Amino acid sequence: MTVTPAQLRALASRAEALAAEVRAACAITPDVHPGEADPFVAARQAADWLTRATDDLRHAATDLARTQVEPCAMAWAVCPEHGNTLTSMAGVSTCRVCGHSTPTPRPGEPCGAPVTWKVIDPAGTETRMCAGHVLGARAVSQGATFIHLDQALT
Ligand SMILES: [Zn+2]
Ligand SMILES: [Zn+2]
């Protein structure tokens, strides 16, 4: 099973709800006789810990989202900004538009740039790719749907 950032965020929400429940329970004042210790000291502390846990879980979700960026698997070279504009010479691919040059990938070597787009061809086949490859794909795909993935909160 793979844990997703959304699952961690759901756990954070539960911890937050628990903290609120504990605080609500503590708000009901019992009959504390003068000189007796407040029986809710530990419970209030627990609520504070739950609030901290909420924050930590949200941080973990953000960190996880960062590490789970999917690498692009396209195996043809593109300029990250212009797409299919590379001219390959002596093992180096150079963009005809901006001059960006990169070693020409060996056949079958994946791109590895973060996936930011989902492309669905007219037959319904879904391919995920980086911004550079989407530009290249746009130039050659007829009738495909291009969807930008909202990486921030999914
Ligand atoms: Zn370029
Ligand atoms: Zn790519």
Side-chain angles (χ1 to χ4, degrees), residues 78-83 85-86 94-100:
V78 284
C79 166
E81 282 173 42
H82 301 101
T85 49
L86 298 183
T94 307
C95 176
R96 291 188 296 273
V97 181
C98 67
H100 167 90

Side-chain angles (χ1 to χ4, degrees), residues 2-55:
T2 319
V3 179
T4 64
Q7 279 173 299
L8 287 176
R9 270 185 222 103
L11 285 171
S13 300
R14 278 159 66 186
E16 193 171 43
L18 259 181
E21 264 183 65
V22 172
R23 283 207 182 86
C26 295
I28 303 160
T29 322
D31 296 328
V32 181
H33 300 290
E36 266 179 22
D38 176 1
F40 285 144
V41 170
R44 281 199 195 90
Q45 209 165 48
D48 291 343
W49 281 110
L50 284 164
T51 300
R52 277 184 65 170
T54 306
D55 292 344

Side-chain angles (χ1 to χ4, degrees), residues 72 74 78 111-113 129-130 133:
C72 176
M74 300 295 108
V78 284
C111 157
M129 55 185 80
C130 71
H133 275 109

